Amino acid sequence: MTREGREFVVVDAKSNEDITHNVLTQIIMEEESRGTNMLPVNFLRQLISMYGDSMQSMVPQYLEASMDAFRKNQLQFQDAMKGAFSGGPFAEMAKRNIEMLEVATSAFKGKVGEKPGTASPEAKDDEIALLKAQLEALNSKIERLGK
């Protein structure tokens, strides 16, 4: 149901209590324990450190907005990929999205057997050049939107 984007509520049959949050959290834990790790350890540490923090009340809204933005970008990426393979107007966007996805993926997990921070200087230079190009593209897009 979640993959289909359907809203639902899980209610305990005995107590009539809304247990949606607990069930969804349990599903995430089960997926993570199966080796489908989507949540990097550093992210989990940061998330745990936010409990009891003065900013704790803002974290859920921030995470929800971030996931919404990620999902929208993912949909744009899928649409762009369709256009990229057919030589459509989204070919350049698809290329940038693929590059950004690769950078994001490498930020969350290194190559197999590679310790964090041990990438070759060439790989780091390539990543920096890619990030600079993406920043330039974003800046030009912001300027166009501002006009």
Side-chain angles (χ1 to χ4, degrees):
M1 290 189 295
T2 56
R3 287 186 181 115
E4 295 171 0
R6 293 174 31 197
E7 293 289 325
F8 61 90
V9 176
V10 181
V11 179
D12 184 281
K14 292 181 182 178
S15 68
N16 210 26
E17 177 186 357
D18 180 354
I19 58 170
T20 308
H21 185 273
N22 294 346
V23 169
L24 294 174
T25 303
Q26 183 177 354
I27 291 169
I28 290 170
M29 288 177 53
E30 288 173 6
E31 288 295 322
E32 290 284 315
S33 69
R34 286 189 189 129
T36 315
N37 295 356
M38 246 183 14
L39 302 173
V41 172
N42 193 40
F43 171 81
L44 294 171
R45 285 185 179 127
Q46 291 176 14
L47 186 61
I48 291 168
S49 73
M50 295 300 290
Y51 282 92
D53 188 274
S54 61
M55 301 296 281
Q56 178 178 343
S57 64
M58 295 175 63
V59 173
Q61 295 91 337
Y62 175 79
L63 291 176
E64 190 170 352
S66 296
M67 285 304 295
D68 286 343
F70 180 81
R71 185 72 174 137
K72 287 175 187 172
N73 286 336
Q74 183 183 32
L75 292 172
Q76 278 184 333
F77 174 75
Q78 290 169 347
D79 288 343
M81 288 304 296
K82 291 175 189 171
F85 291 119
S86 63
F90 293 109
E92 184 59 32
M93 179 191 277
K95 182 180 172 189
R96 285 195 312 262
N97 281 340
I98 289 171
E99 291 169 348
M100 289 189 326
L101 184 61
E102 288 171 350
V103 170
T105 302
S106 69
F108 285 116
K109 59 183 177 186
K111 294 178 184 169
V112 176
E114 181 180 274
K115 294 181 182 177
T118 61
S120 70
E122 295 83 15
K124 287 181 182 180
D125 290 343
D126 290 345
E127 187 173 340
I128 290 170
L130 179 60
L131 290 171
K132 285 180 180 179
Q134 291 171 353
L135 183 58
E136 286 178 32
L138 288 172
N139 282 332
S140 67
K141 193 173 192 177
I142 290 170
E143 287 176 17
R144 285 193 309 268
L145 290 173
K147 291 181 181 180

